[in-house]
Amino acid sequence: MIKVGVLGAHGRMGTAVCEAVDAAEDMELAATVDRDESLDALAGVDVVVDFTLPDVVMGNLEWCVEHGIHTVVGVSGFDAKRLEAAREIIAADPEVGSVIAPNFGIGAVLMMQFAAKAAKHFDSAEIIESHHPRKVDAPSGTAVHTARVIAAARAEAELPDMPDATETDPQGARGAEVEGVRIHAVRSAGYVASQEVRFGGPGERFAISHDSLDRASFMPGVLLAVREVVKRPGLTVGLDDLLD
C-alpha cells in the first residue's frame, strides 16, 4: 500500500487527486495539506503529489527530499533552469525519486510524441493552447514542452527556420516564441485544457489536437506516476518513460 500525501489538496486538481487516490486499491490517502498549513502533516508518507503554485513548489520539493519522500509534481513553470535546480535538490538523497510532468493526460503525452514525429516532415509548425480563465500562467507548460520537442526534432532533421515574412507585430499577434516555435494562448470560460498543433507543407495541412474535458482525464497519469516514482530514484521529466 502506497501512502500518499497531497499538497494543494483543496484546489481543483488537488481535490481530484484526493478522490482518485482514495479510490485506488493500492494507495492510501494518508495526508492532505493546503495553503498556509504545515508540511509536517506529510511526515511518514511514501509519495507527495504537489499541485500547488510555482512560488512554493521548490520549497515543497526541498522539504520532501529532506524527509526522504518521493514526489509527483504537476506545477507549471518548470523551464530548463528550474528543472536543473530541481535535479540538484533531488540529488541530495540518491534514494528519492521525483516525477515532474507538464501534463498528466495520457492523450496529451501521446499528442506531444506524435508532434515530435510529425515535426520532421513539415515546413511549419505552430501551437494553439486553450485553458480556463483561472490559469495563472501562459503559455502552458504543455505548450512549452511541445514547442521544445518540435524544435529538437526539427534540429535533428536539419530543417531550416520556418517560413515567416512578418516584420512588424507591435501587438504580439504572432504569439510567444519558444525555440523558434510560435505559441498562441487562449484563456476562456468553457475550457479545461486543450491544445492543437498545426503543421503545414506544400499543398497540405496536418493538425494534432487533444482536449481534456474534465480533470478526471489527468488522474490515470497521476496514479501511474505515483506507482512508478517509488521505483525510480532521481528526476524523471514527463510521463513518456513511464508509458514505455
Side-chain angles (χ1 to χ4, degrees):
M1 187 71 70
I2 304 173
K3 293 183 178 180
V4 181
V6 178
L7 272 168
H10 297 161
R12 292 175 178 84
M13 280 297 292
T15 298
V17 171
C18 289
E19 292 173 353
V21 169
D22 205 34
E25 294 183 355
D26 59 341
M27 298 181 194
E28 173 190 347
L29 182 60
T32 61
V33 174
D34 206 72
R35 184 177 299 180
D36 299 326
E37 295 179 349
S38 174
L39 298 181
D40 291 340
L42 300 169
V45 305
D46 301 310
V47 179
V48 164
V49 179
D50 188 341
F51 276 95
T52 54
L53 294 169
D55 59 342
V56 297
V57 64
M58 299 302 282
N60 294 343
L61 184 62
E62 189 169 2
W63 188 94
C64 289
V65 172
E66 289 175 354
H67 290 78
I69 300 171
H70 308 286
T71 52
V72 172
V73 180
V75 180
S76 294
F78 275 90
D79 56 14
K81 183 177 180 180
R82 178 163 278 203
L83 281 173
E84 186 56 36
R87 196 183 306 276
E88 292 179 5
I89 291 172
I90 296 160
D93 187 335
E95 296 185 0
V96 167
S98 181
V99 174
I100 299 176
N103 197 308
F104 285 93
I106 303 300
V109 175
L110 294 173
M111 174 199 63
M112 289 184 273
Q113 293 180 354
F114 298 158
K117 186 171 184 178
K120 301 177 182 181
H121 304 287
F122 291 91
D123 295 340
S124 297
E126 300 209 9
I127 299 167
I128 303 170
E129 56 99 336
S130 304
H131 286 76
H132 56 86
R134 298 173 302 280
K135 186 170 177 59
V136 298
D137 62 320
S140 70
T142 300
V144 171
H145 186 70
T146 306
R148 288 174 179 153
V149 300
I150 288 172
R154 290 179 59 85
E156 182 181 352
E158 299 183 346
L159 296 181
D161 292 342
M162 287 185 269
D164 186 351
T166 304
E167 294 184 0
T168 60
D169 181 15
Q171 303 302 320
R174 291 291 291 118
E177 183 176 344
V178 176
E179 298 188 22
V181 181
R182 293 286 182 177
I183 303 175
H184 310 270
V186 176
R187 296 293 175 264
S188 173
Y191 285 91
V192 175
S194 298
Q195 180 169 290
E196 179 177 304
V197 187
R198 295 185 179 182
F199 296 96
E204 66 175 331
R205 295 191 299 262
F206 178 60
I208 304 170
S209 65
H210 175 263
D211 299 292
S212 287
L213 306 178
D214 189 280
R215 287 170 180 80
S217 65
F218 303 117
M219 295 307 107
V222 171
L223 298 184
L224 172 64
V226 169
R227 294 184 178 108
E228 291 294 321
V229 72
V230 297
K231 311 171 190 175
R232 292 172 172 264
L235 176 62
T236 298
V237 179
L239 298 187
D240 299 79
D241 292 341
L242 309 189
L243 293 180
D244 295 337

